Amino acid sequence: MNAAVDQVGNERDAHVVEEICGYVTGIPPRSFFLFAGAGSGKTRTLVEVLRRITGVVEHAAGGIYASKLRVRGQSVRVITYTKNAAKVVTSRLGENRLTEVSTIHSFCWDLVKGFDEDIREALIAKNMEELAKAKAHAQSKKRGESDTDRRKYAELEAKAEELRAIPTFRYHPDQNTYGEGALSHQEVLRVAAWLLCERPTLQRIVQDRHPLLLIDESQDTMRGVLDALFDLTTIRPGHFTLGLLGDHRQRIYPDGHVDLPSHIPPTWARPALQMNHRSRERIVRLINAIWEADIEGRTQSKIGVAQHPRSEKQGGKVRIFVGDTANTTSVKLSFEADCARSMAQITGAEAWSANQKSFKTLALEHKLGAKRGDFYNIYCGMALLDKEAATPDPNGERMGPAMVRPLLGGLLELAECVRPDGTLDEFAAVAVLRRHNALTKLPSEHAARAVRLAELYEAISRFAVLCHRTEGAQVKQVLAPILEANVLPADSRLVGAYWDERPPPPEPEREASESKEDRQRRGWHLLMNAPWAELARYRTYLGGEAPFATHQVVKGSEFKHVMVVMDDEEAGGNLFSYDKLFGAEILSKDDKDNIAAGKETTIDRTLRLLYVTCSRAEESLALVLWAKDTNSALTAINACGWFTADEVVVLP
Ligand SMILES: Nc1ncnc2c1ncn2[C@@H]1O[C@H](COP(=O)(O)OP(=O)(O)OP(=O)(O)O)[C@@H](O)[C@H]1O
């Protein structure tokens, strides 16, 4: 941070763009880490720097920098965390041939694609590393190697053999790739990181193409790639500059460096943004306090910059509601509705009222969101079929499991053609059928064609009646006329499940012991018997448009009014614990071992997650804690100093 700068008020960060331009265009240029907290306007800063150093905005040193890029056929490479973020940067930047913006997966694939020999070598090297690690681990055990260990060695050796026989590798940054030579998203990052360390030619290529690489959300960037890029700044100094933007307080994913600031080389510049342009004063004060908290079980350092709200953003409301997690889900939901009503009174904002309900609810786990959004049965069914495809991603691009086609596509589109009075908008329905290639196989002979059209009409009319009578109708019933008359192209697995009369297998005692086939049969059964009305709500959730989201998926977003639901009991899992954070549960032996070893703890992870969720709110924030032990939680909450007495509400 440039200590000479003493600006106050909303303009206190005004010098940062210029400061960064100075580092980038300096001779020699200097790498930097921009510490940019929640709502500090990272994107704006990034775009303003890019505009200057690519000659869009007049800037003496920037103009020279841009000419050099042009003459050398180079560009500035910008890496964002999501595709959406890449689109935001690109759209704000406008047409700019000197900048290339993409996700890290696209960047890494651009580097390695086509170099099949190298990819193979990298994969085999990683495989050998894993084998050596497995052997070292097994041999360190008191009883020595077990049969399981030997099986693992054999699997890894077989995998290496397989890799040797693969001629070409395939990958797509935006979708999962399957079959021989298909690389996973993780593998592409690992391969690129390995090759960047091992191949001087690749290092040269990156430096020659992109003398400057800027990485947004660097706290969550895979550390292997980041380390390889750190090294690149020291090979041929002056030829490659790295600019990291980020906030380690907002690290959500386990891939990033545990403590990014401590990895930044001492020679780097460290500018910082101190403003929070997003949230009102009360919320900014809360997130500052959260980060400064001394909580038993915290091992992460308090390094960070306290934020300042904009001068016109005084006020803001915060409440924490504490209730007993032993309540049933329906009781909890009704209390949460009371919390929203209470927020409506406190803030006077219509958004919290039962009529509008336009606040955003953030839950830790999809199941919590699914219960609150009333699509629990559908979600559980989809998750059993294919967990990854069933959950939304930060780009809102997930389509649900491929095997349920046409449930989430054509079928819901057809349902939208049913008017509120139950009649069918035939014109719109034909357009849906056309879009989904349902009319391409009509018989050419006149009479047969008429018969088939009548059949389709009959099926869709029955479907419209069933759709309209949504109360109580199950997916299987509504699907029946469409599948039986073969109206829309359907996945064979869906068709098989529809005709499958067998009862579902029982729920296993341990998830891991269940076969994929049994799991999917249970999924199909749940899905077919789920209320039809849940399907549309689930699709909205998948697209990121629902008023519910998980804590992790809202990275980079902002909402006027936010309700954070914290309920360890319902969420399951042991990576996070709001009960431990808020004193409703004592630390476990594992937690204590981690603290003693200075490792990251449940408290560290949960504190950061809370930091991220609270910092999404602009105007008002309701925290709802469903605690295992409400009395202990209340004692800890009253003692922590984050809230005033009138901000703590006990749910009866
Ligand atoms: N200089 C500024 N003046 C006024 N408003 C700003 C300024 N910079 C950013 N904002 C606004 O503040 C909000 C937060 O900005 P932005 O989303 O870029 O923050 P961020 O640093 O990416 O935050 P996070 O890391 O929390 O996602 C946005 O609504 C943005 O329009």
Side-chain angles (χ1 to χ4, degrees), residues 10-11 36-45 92 216-217 219 247 250 273 276-278 310 312-313 554-558 615-616 618:
N10 294 345
E11 297 307 313
S40 60
K42 254 185 299 127
T43 316
R44 187 180 287 217
T45 309
R92 291 209 200 154
D216 196 7
E217 305 275 9
Q219 74 278 3
D247 179 6
Q250 295 189 64
L273 294 172
N276 181 323
H277 297 283
R278 172 182 300 141
R310 290 185 67 82
E312 71 278 18
K313 292 207 172 181
V554 289
K555 194 182 190 50
S557 314
E558 57 189 17
S615 61
R616 301 305 99 198
E618 294 171 45

Side-chain angles (χ1 to χ4, degrees), residues 220-472:
D220 276 315
T221 306
M222 189 226 198
R223 51 185 174 273
V225 178
L226 215 49
D227 289 346
L229 293 170
F230 279 143
D231 287 349
L232 217 54
T233 61
T234 59
I235 306 168
R236 293 170 72 216
H239 283 81
F240 178 73
T241 309
L242 199 54
L244 305 185
L245 292 82
D247 179 6
H248 57 292
R249 298 173 296 198
Q250 295 189 64
R251 184 166 66 82
I252 293 187
Y253 299 102
D255 278 359
H257 268 299
V258 167
D259 180 15
L260 183 57
S262 70
H263 290 265
I264 303 296
T267 50
W268 283 32
R270 287 183 175 231
L273 294 172
Q274 301 179 51
M275 287 297 292
N276 181 323
H277 297 283
R278 172 182 300 141
S279 307
R280 290 206 171 263
E281 188 274 339
R282 177 63 192 104
I283 297 164
V284 175
R285 194 151 39 86
L286 174 68
I287 59 174
N288 283 340
I290 289 176
W291 189 251
E292 284 297 314
D294 287 311
I295 299 179
E296 192 197 354
R298 174 177 183 158
T299 64
Q300 63 199 348
S301 85
K302 290 186 191 174
I303 293 177
V305 174
Q307 291 195 303
H308 302 267
R310 290 185 67 82
S311 55
E312 71 278 18
K313 292 207 172 181
Q314 293 305 304
K317 298 286 179 199
V318 168
R319 287 292 181 275
I320 180 160
F321 300 88
V322 183
D324 190 343
T325 193
N327 282 306
T328 61
T329 303
S330 62
V331 170
K332 286 177 188 171
L333 292 180
S334 109
F335 274 134
E336 285 167 21
D338 291 345
C339 297
R341 266 192 288 280
S342 159
M343 290 303 288
Q345 268 176 4
I346 297 161
T347 59
E350 257 300 287
W352 285 107
S353 72
N355 301 339
Q356 266 219 8
K357 270 195 171 174
S358 51
F359 57 93
K360 191 85 176 179
T361 301
L362 304 180
L364 180 57
E365 227 280 305
H366 298 289
K367 280 188 179 169
L368 281 163
K371 281 182 187 165
R372 277 145 188 91
D374 201 3
F375 51 86
Y376 185 68
N377 298 287
I378 293 278
Y379 168 72
C380 291
M382 297 281 183
L384 285 171
L385 293 176
D386 181 347
K387 175 94 189 211
E388 200 192 325
T391 50
D393 69 358
N395 291 309
E397 283 182 346
R398 289 269 163 79
M399 311 293 284
M403 64 190 98
V404 307
R405 192 175 73 128
L407 272 189
L408 293 165
L411 201 72
L412 281 176
E413 287 173 38
L414 260 190
E416 280 161 16
C417 305
V418 182
R419 298 190 187 95
D421 64 0
T423 57
L424 183 71
D425 178 344
E426 290 174 18
F427 192 69
V430 170
V432 171
L433 296 185
R434 285 230 166 83
R435 229 178 4 258
H436 291 273
N437 298 325
L439 299 178
T440 47
K441 288 198 189 127
L442 284 180
S444 48
E445 195 270 316
H446 185 72
R449 191 182 179 88
V451 170
R452 176 61 181 149
L453 282 173
E455 205 175 84
L456 286 176
Y457 184 76
E458 217 275 308
I460 295 172
S461 303
R462 270 176 56 216
F463 166 79
V465 172
L466 288 161
C467 263
H468 183 57
R469 240 194 40 212
T470 48
E471 278 308 302

Side-chain angles (χ1 to χ4, degrees), residues 76-77 79 107 206 210-215 229 240-243:
V76 176
R77 187 84 192 210
I79 294 177
F107 169 69
V206 176
H210 308 298
L212 172 64
L213 196 109
L214 301 172
I215 306 184
L229 293 170
F240 178 73
T241 309
L242 199 54

